[in-house]
Amino acid sequence: MLEIRNLHARIAESGVEIIRGLNLTVKAGEVAAIMGPNGSGKSTLSYVIAGREDYEVTEGDILYNGESILEMDPAERAAKGVFLAFQYPMEIPGVATMEFLKVAVNSQRKARGEAELKVPEFIRRVKEEAASLGIDFAMLKRPLNVGFSGGEKKRAEILQMKLLEPKLCVLDETDSGLDIDALKVVADGVNALRSPDRAMVVITHYQRLLDLIVPDTVHVLYKGQVIKSGDKDLALELERDGYAGLIGEAA
Amino acid sequence: MNIHSTPKLTAAETALIDAFGERFSELPGDATVAVKRDDAVEALKAGLPTRRVEAWHYTDLRRLLTNVPGYDSTLAARAKPALLAGSTVLPVLNGVSGAGASIDGATVTRLVDKLLDGSFAPALGPREPADTVGALNTAFVADGYFIDIAAGAEIAAPIEIQNVQAGGQTHSRFPVRVGQGAKATIVERQTGAGNALTSSISHLTLGEDAELLWIIVQDQPDGATCLSQFNAELAKGSRLTLFFMNAGSKLVRQEIRVRMPGEGADFKLRGINLLSGDTHCDVTMMLDHLAENTTSTEIVRNVANGAAKGVFQGQIKVAKDAQKTDAKMACNTLLLSDEAEFSTKPELEIFADDVACGHGATVTEIDRNHLFYLMARGIDEKTARGLLVKAFVAEIIEELEDEATVEVLEGILDDWFAEHV
């Protein structure tokens, strides 16, 4: 479903290269964990997949269902089913959360040639999904993410993911800032979306998330490249031994 | 004193002076009105103000006023449905008022009658030498309405002054008197078709403890020129909320002159300027706190796209006797393009020693991080920008609270965004 070939990407403004020849394949139905020390390019990878224009791809390609997405803007990618759960969801004053959700859901439906959801049906769906994530419906009447706690923001990201039903989910450190109860709720939400026709890329530092969202494959990112891939046991090894040994091998 | 060193009149100045010569015999009014007109046109003959006149520093009217269409009584302006459902509409079509409406608790008179009998003459004339809008309007004013709201009247249905253009030149006045303790909502629409030149002046006298919401919506076509003035005098304990939205015209000068001689009076100004293309919009406020415990807040939000230029001049004067005045002014601008410009000039003159006065101005661009976040959820760039721009200005509208009013005004925003963002 996702095939990244020899990807090179740099920060557009400074020209500093962050992703340096990255290869990664994630199949439909697969949950791939991306791990790696700080500064290895994990968040950059998530942004480049989502199409953030602060990064420039200088070489290589990202194929989604066999089609290059590099020329698409973030909205086009999202409409095709790419979703990024942000590490730091933006607070946007003045944009009401419900209004935002409605516009997002209907924009994607429209882009796919589907009929827009009627308001009562939309509200019913939001209420259902919010309840399953322990989100107080009153929170959704506030401006988008404004005044939400760290945990509330992460839940709101998963709520968006559930409403939008993407095909490729990239979760950037969804566990950061969550206490263990919130982590369980969020992981349950993610697990509920696991399906044979959906792929997930889970970026994290910690095994504790992978105890709850058990990955099919684990990839270690270092200096903008995947230096080792394995199954879920690789994550346990890293938890035990740290990155030092691996980095030494790669060097 | 204004010294204009430019001896030669511009085409626009010549057109105005010629128009006066042609129109003078047809303009309504008794001898006292005629004298006022004569004096006013003398002021115009001295030339339109340039940037050397302080009040016009950011709006060089002499250079910017190029559109002086002729007066044409055969042009047909069509009345529009009321902005707010259930309103009483007072139309002025191509400069001519209709029959006065009957409103419970208020008397409506055609202004032309008050010009003909001379009773309106004392209100005519420029307020000061730089009052070009006042001079221009005095020279040519032909009609409008006088609305007199009785003391204690609570008028539930909004009264809509609908000034509709048809592409010619019109000059109107709208004096409004609100009696003691009365409550009402007035909507003033500056609208229509074609590249009209409009001068429109309203005068509001708010009685003791009266409460008024005045909503101005200006959405003239892209080639129009709209010169307007809102004058208000607030008696003791009265409360005025003035909301304005500029969403059209090539050239706008909107003056807001408010005097608060009554103790405990409150003034709220909430304004939105939506600017695009090659347009120029100047909102100039002159506010006088003249009595104790008077309060005011002014919030103006501007969105500027294309090569538009915007101006907000906010002058607050606090007289020596106006102790415990509380005044806060803010002007926030969102620039959507590199060529768009906005100039803000706050001016506080405080002669009392126990007051709280503040002002602030910001200029920002659309936050690219916000834009990315919205787009990453599948919202196309145009819609996402629209949401962010709307977020910037909509809270000013939402303050009005009345749901139907908020919906209508947000609808105007949405239409503007669809066309210009």
Side-chain angles (χ1 to χ4, degrees):
Chain A
M1 174 168 278
L2 174 68
E3 197 181 346
I4 300 177
R5 290 181 185 160
N6 186 33
L7 187 72
H8 289 256
R10 62 186 187 195
I11 300 171
E13 203 167 281
S14 63
V16 174
E17 188 169 64
I18 307 287
I19 303 292
R20 304 179 176 98
L22 185 145
N23 291 290
L24 177 71
T25 301
V26 184
K27 296 190 194 69
E30 182 178 332
V31 173
I34 306 278
M35 303 184 79
N38 284 327
S40 57
K42 302 189 300 293
S43 283
T44 300
L45 175 63
S46 74
Y47 287 143
V48 172
I49 294 173
R52 191 172 188 146
E53 59 175 22
D54 304 58
Y55 301 93
E56 235 171 52
V57 172
T58 52
E59 207 183 323
D61 209 345
I62 301 176
L63 304 178
Y64 170 68
N65 290 332
E67 181 187 14
S68 174
I69 57 171
L70 291 183
E71 293 303 314
M72 297 178 193
D73 75 19
E76 292 167 322
R77 295 180 198 201
K80 289 206 176 273
V82 177
F83 182 92
L84 168 62
F86 283 65
Q87 185 181 358
Y88 303 110
M90 293 332 152
E91 294 192 7
I92 309 190
V95 174
T97 307
M98 281 303 277
E99 169 81 2
F100 158 74
L101 291 173
K102 194 173 77 191
V103 174
V105 167
N106 282 333
S107 291
Q108 294 207 13
R109 292 181 72 96
K110 209 171 121 192
R112 291 194 294 260
E114 299 164 20
E116 294 196 353
L117 275 186
K118 294 268 187 297
V119 173
E121 194 190 345
F122 168 75
I123 290 176
R124 187 185 53 75
R125 276 211 57 202
V126 175
K127 277 193 168 154
E128 234 173 66
E129 299 293 2
S132 77
L133 289 164
I135 294 172
D136 183 0
F137 191 70
M139 192 175 105
L140 304 177
K141 292 179 177 160
R142 304 215 300 258
L144 187 54
N145 291 324
V146 175
F148 290 18
S149 69
E152 285 172 338
K153 283 180 188 167
K154 295 300 175 73
R155 287 176 201 223
E157 291 290 289
I158 303 306
L159 171 65
Q160 292 175 32
M161 191 164 97
K162 293 186 89 172
L163 290 171
L164 294 169
E165 301 177 308
K167 290 286 180 267
L168 172 63
C169 308
V170 180
L171 293 94
D172 187 7
E173 299 202 19
T174 293
D175 50 336
S176 69
L178 290 184
D179 61 38
I180 193 71
D181 293 330
L183 187 64
K184 277 191 180 128
V185 172
V186 165
D188 286 348
V190 173
N191 284 327
L193 281 175
R194 288 181 83 148
S195 91
D197 64 350
R198 182 175 283 131
M200 294 197 186
V201 175
V202 180
I203 295 171
T204 183
H205 274 292
Y206 302 107
Q207 177 59 36
R208 62 171 199 166
L209 179 67
L210 302 183
D211 287 337
L212 298 169
I213 305 173
V214 181
D216 300 301
T217 55
V218 174
H219 309 269
V220 180
L221 199 59
Y222 180 64
K223 289 191 171 171
Q225 288 187 333
V226 174
I227 55 166
K228 184 157 188 177
S229 297
D231 61 13
K232 64 182 195 306
D233 294 336
L234 176 57
L236 294 169
E237 260 173 57
L238 290 169
E239 178 84 353
R240 197 180 60 230
D241 305 336
Y243 294 111
L246 258 184
I247 290 166
E249 261 174 55
Chain B
M1 184 146 132
N2 311 315
I3 298 164
H4 298 280
S5 54
T6 35
K8 208 169 151 242
L9 293 174
T10 64
E13 287 162 347
T14 307
L16 286 172
I17 293 160
D18 288 353
F20 186 75
E22 288 157 24
R23 289 271 295 142
F24 182 68
S25 60
E26 294 162 44
L27 287 167
D30 71 349
T32 55
V33 170
V35 168
K36 292 276 188 166
R37 293 192 195 280
D38 270 336
D39 289 348
V41 92
E42 285 309 310
L44 295 179
K45 282 179 186 166
L48 295 168
T50 67
R51 53 183 300 121
R52 273 171 297 203
V53 178
E54 200 188 340
W56 294 87
H57 183 72
Y58 299 94
T59 299
D60 189 324
L61 193 65
R62 185 163 205 266
R63 186 174 59 79
L64 290 168
L65 183 67
T66 51
N67 167 43
V68 182
Y71 173 84
D72 186 348
S73 64
T74 64
L75 295 174
R78 290 226 308 268
K80 297 188 170 183
L83 197 65
L84 305 178
S87 299
T88 307
V89 176
L90 303 177
V92 177
L93 305 177
N94 191 30
V96 181
S97 67
S102 132
I103 300 169
D104 225 14
T107 322
V108 179
T109 317
R110 300 178 69 192
L111 195 83
V112 63
D113 297 336
K114 297 181 76 65
L115 291 168
L116 289 168
D117 69 12
S119 60
F120 196 65
L124 293 173
R127 304 234 143 181
E128 73 274 328
D131 180 11
T132 304
V133 179
L136 176 67
N137 186 277
T138 295
F140 292 101
V141 60
D143 210 344
Y145 288 103
F146 170 52
I147 304 169
D148 193 2
I149 297 175
E154 292 197 13
I155 300 179
I159 300 170
E160 178 173 313
I161 296 168
Q162 197 179 91
N163 198 16
V164 189
Q165 307 310 315
Q169 194 181 131
T170 77
H171 306 272
S172 312
R173 293 246 178 180
F174 303 98
V176 175
R177 187 163 65 194
V178 180
Q180 189 175 344
K183 277 189 189 169
T185 296
I186 290 189
V187 177
E188 173 189 334
R189 285 172 80 184
Q190 302 292 348
T191 189
N195 299 339
L197 167 64
T198 311
S199 82
S200 177
I201 297 184
S202 51
H203 304 254
L204 168 67
T205 316
L206 207 50
E208 280 188 20
D209 301 314
E211 210 179 308
L212 191 78
L213 168 63
W214 188 301
I215 297 172
I216 301 174
V217 176
Q218 183 275 118
D219 62 352
Q220 299 249 59
D222 291 344
T225 301
C226 191
L227 308 175
S228 71
Q229 205 175 73
F230 173 87
N231 300 280
E233 179 123 348
L234 276 58
K236 190 176 164 186
S238 65
R239 299 153 67 84
L240 169 65
T241 298
L242 174 63
F243 172 93
F244 71 81
M245 176 151 33
N246 281 306
S249 290
K250 163 100 172 144
L251 173 61
V252 175
R253 166 80 169 196
Q254 180 175 32
E255 295 177 1
I256 295 161
R257 298 161 176 249
V258 176
R259 288 165 47 84
M260 293 201 278
E263 200 181 312
D266 178 67
F267 172 55
K268 276 193 191 67
L269 175 67
R270 299 291 183 270
I272 295 174
N273 292 307
L274 305 174
L275 313 177
S276 68
D278 183 23
T279 63
H280 184 105
C281 174
D282 173 333
V283 174
T284 293
M285 181 195 78
M286 290 165 240
L287 171 63
D288 287 291
H289 282 265
L290 298 163
E292 271 187 48
N293 291 309
T294 49
T295 50
S296 76
T297 55
E298 298 81 29
I299 304 175
V300 177
R301 294 271 163 95
N302 315 294
V303 177
N305 204 356
K309 289 188 173 57
V311 179
F312 174 67
Q313 304 189 99
Q315 182 193 68
I316 300 178
K317 285 186 181 172
V318 180
K320 200 167 165 233
D321 297 333
Q323 300 294 359
K324 311 278 182 199
T325 284
D326 191 334
K328 281 185 198 70
M329 176 165 65
C331 179
N332 313 105
T333 302
L334 184 64
L335 294 178
L336 298 181
S337 77
D338 293 341
E339 295 103 305
E341 269 179 41
F342 202 95
S343 308
T344 306
K345 182 187 170 194
E347 198 180 339
L348 303 183
E349 265 184 51
I350 301 168
F351 295 102
D353 50 23
D354 183 14
V355 302
C357 276
H359 67 83
T362 60
V363 178
T364 50
E365 294 174 355
I366 281 190
D367 187 316
R368 287 169 57 217
N369 294 326
H370 291 172
L371 189 63
F372 172 61
Y373 187 81
L374 296 181
M375 289 179 71
R377 295 299 176 253
I379 302 173
D380 67 81
E381 183 169 358
K382 190 178 161 76
T383 309
R385 286 170 73 91
L387 276 176
L388 293 172
V389 177
K390 188 172 172 184
F392 179 74
V393 291
E395 65 179 353
I396 301 281
I397 295 176
E398 278 150 21
E399 253 189 75
L400 292 173
E401 282 176 358
D402 178 65
E403 246 175 70
T405 308
V406 169
E407 200 175 309
V408 165
L409 294 172
E410 290 195 343
I412 298 174
L413 274 188
D414 290 340
D415 292 348
W416 188 87
F417 295 145
E419 206 174 322
H420 297 102
V421 175

